[in-house]
Amino acid sequence: MVLKVFFPTCCSSAESGILIGRWISEQSSAVVLAVVHFPFIPVQVKQYLSQVQQVTKIKVSVLGSWSNSKREKEESLSKFLEDLGTIFAHEPWIQISKERDSKFWSCSTLQKESNSSKEEEIILVYYDQRKVMLSQLHPPANTSTDCKADDASKLTAVFDTVANSKILFMTDKYDDGPVKLTHWQSDGVEASIIVELLKQASVPVCLLLTFLLSLTSVVCKSRMLKFWPLSFLWSKLSTCEQLGHRLQHLQIISSSKKAQNQTQLMRKANIFVSLLIDVALGILLMSWLYRKSRIGHLADTLIPVADHIAEELQDLLQWLMGAPAGLKMNRALDQVLGRFFLYHIHLWISYIHLMSPFIEMILWYVGLSACLGLTVALCILSDIIALLTFHIYCFYVYGARLYCLKVYGLSSLWRLFRGKKWNVLRQRVDSCSYDLDQLFIGTLLFTILLFLLPTTALYYLVFTLLRLLVVVVQGLIHLLVDLIDSLPLYSIILRFCRSYRLAAGVKFRVLEQKQGKPLRLLMQINPLSYGSLVQRYRLPTCSCYPKDSWTSLCRKLFFGELIYPWKHKGEKQD
Amino acid sequence: ALRRRHHSASCRELAVRAPRLQLRALSALTSAVWLAAYGLFVLCENSMVLSAAIFITLIGLIVYLHFVKVDQESLLIIGSLGIQVTSSYASGKESTTFIEMSQVKDVVINEAIHMQKIIYYLCILIRDPQDPQGVSEVVPLFQSSKPRLDCLIEVYKSCQEILQQRETSPQSS
């Protein structure tokens, strides 16, 4: 089998020494982790390696020799390096030598028990050690779960080897240890003061946050808030749901358990960045609103807007009470329904006018809650729209109920008209013999209902359209809120700035070749695409999505059943 | 147009060039869009239409060159490591996929019936981890450059030579 040697690019200019790393025999590949320089005592090297093996659980061993000679090849050095092969028994013993800054290295193996005498082909794969150590492979979903350990792909093995050998990279060349290594960090371990300070500061901050959150949850769960009108109100307002969602997020971040694996860490980071951006945008919005007293202007325009809506509705009803679109309505029913709805609008306007002195103050205080986040502000906007158009919702319910009654009455009387009956026990239509007076009254009622149908249907149609308009507007706002909630911003920024951290795979580039020398490849990290990144790291949200398909929605509209087009997760099914 | 490079005994690179962007088609499309925009401008006297047309043409061209127009597709097959498929776009962007040798079952030429023709395409069969004889996925190659059968046969023969090696190579101890 072809022998593959994964060689770190940082060791290309290292002094002569021996190579240490991991030998994966089933794939015939050697992953070189570092170079140990002369002088060294073999016993100490073996001790050091066994220590490293204990900590990292990876079989790190001496793989071969590395000679980097500035002058012509020295015979004595090469003999010495071959003799080392007998001290560190490793099968096969790899010898790599580089001459005078030449790009093309010669690589050979020494097999003690060579049962095949032909030359094995050797492939030299260069890799960037730091990037491979920091990166995380994202294999496609179908290959990850059921693979046994020995089926594991080569690349996962290589990445795991480098990632788990962090302890090896902690010793640098300024240490006074028995072994002198060269690897990517051998010039000195880098650390950032800011990161260390943040890590130290995060512990008390987390404790404080957990304490505050427990207080808040105690208050929220108190019995006082569970009484019927209040609990109904909380469940209907989307602001409360959004606040609850954010509280949950805060709990996840401030929990003192460390993240077990990479996915959890990314999730925590995504939630943190999302919250930060949300609050920043909210404060920006708040500062824009409160500057130049825009809140005052908003409050001043709110009442005229509500008045305007009411006037438009009144005009609409007057139009319906006349001859709308040239259709002839039943005059009496028309007047009854029209006057009924007009009275409602009159009541609504009176309530709005009653509240008008307090609107500005209420709006001012409610606007302050925008500092909790842009999503909260958008939810409040959606709730305000719902409250302002409450009369449209009421009209829709009245119209729908009336229409629904009419349709069911019509269908049942139609069955009577044909001499059939609905059998509730068997859930089917059976024939039935009616008395004459039953038939007479039934037919009379049927005729009345049939001829009153256009009027009711028209009112129903108009109010349903208005209601659907409001629902669409609310739905768009909720879509925006969901987008802000679920977008994994930290992952996207990481993919943009440090694309090697999120790897979908690797790519190989063939470097210059020379006849007689081993094949040289450069292994680079192939980053994850943005689409699969967002899909993988999406934050779960209390998303609202359409409950019904188009056909069932149309069916419900036709029969006059009340529609609640958006379903929230956690809502009871009706 | 097939270009072969033998880097070593077990490493080969095969590249196929896609048909180039036609200057005639590009100028025809641009002139049509600008004439339409000028016609709209004459109708509605709003100069925004002209700037919008220029903007749309530029953005459309950039998007087309960066995301749609494939310049060259290449296949790098390294025995005992894997197969790498690269598409390079007209704007210089390269999108690469690497499939490991342990996942590759075989490289075959498939036939497909498309409209009134029979077309041939080369594809890689991916092994199913659960079922050793089964195929879990088929990865078609050279989708944009669509080489003809003679070209495909050469690529097929090249790949099969390398794939044979992994069957006949002795296992390491």
Side-chain angles (χ1 to χ4, degrees), chain A residues 407-421 434 439 442-443 445-447 449-450:
Chain A
V407 166
Y408 278 111
L410 266 178
S411 59
S412 145
L413 289 172
W414 171 244
R415 283 192 281 264
L416 178 135
F417 200 63
R418 291 180 307 154
K420 301 212 185 288
K421 196 177 85 153
Y434 290 101
L439 273 176
T443 317
L445 282 174
F446 175 73
T447 327
L449 282 180
L450 185 65

Side-chain angles (χ1 to χ4, degrees), chain A residues 400-467:
Chain A
R401 287 270 185 248
L402 214 61
Y403 178 76
C404 181
L405 258 169
K406 185 154 282 194
V407 166
Y408 278 111
L410 266 178
S411 59
S412 145
L413 289 172
W414 171 244
R415 283 192 281 264
L416 178 135
F417 200 63
R418 291 180 307 154
K420 301 212 185 288
K421 196 177 85 153
W422 174 253
N423 192 337
V424 183
L425 219 57
R426 297 291 184 100
Q427 295 287 315
R428 65 172 187 206
V429 177
D430 280 339
S431 63
C432 171
S433 63
Y434 290 101
D435 295 336
L436 196 61
D437 45 358
Q438 281 175 328
L439 273 176
F440 179 62
I441 295 188
T443 317
L444 209 60
L445 282 174
F446 175 73
T447 327
I448 294 175
L449 282 180
L450 185 65
F451 288 128
L452 289 180
L453 187 64
T455 317
T456 338
L458 193 68
Y459 273 92
Y460 173 65
L461 185 71
V462 167
F463 292 133
T464 310
L465 285 174
L466 282 174
R467 170 83 186 133

Side-chain angles (χ1 to χ4, degrees), chain A residues 25 121 146 153-154 508 526, chain B residues 8 80 84 96 100 130 172:
Chain A
S25 58
E121 199 191 332
D146 291 341
S153 74
K154 279 178 204 170
F508 290 94
N526 199 11
Chain B
S8 93
S80 82
Q84 173 167 294
T96 330
E100 292 191 54
Q130 272 91 28
S172 62

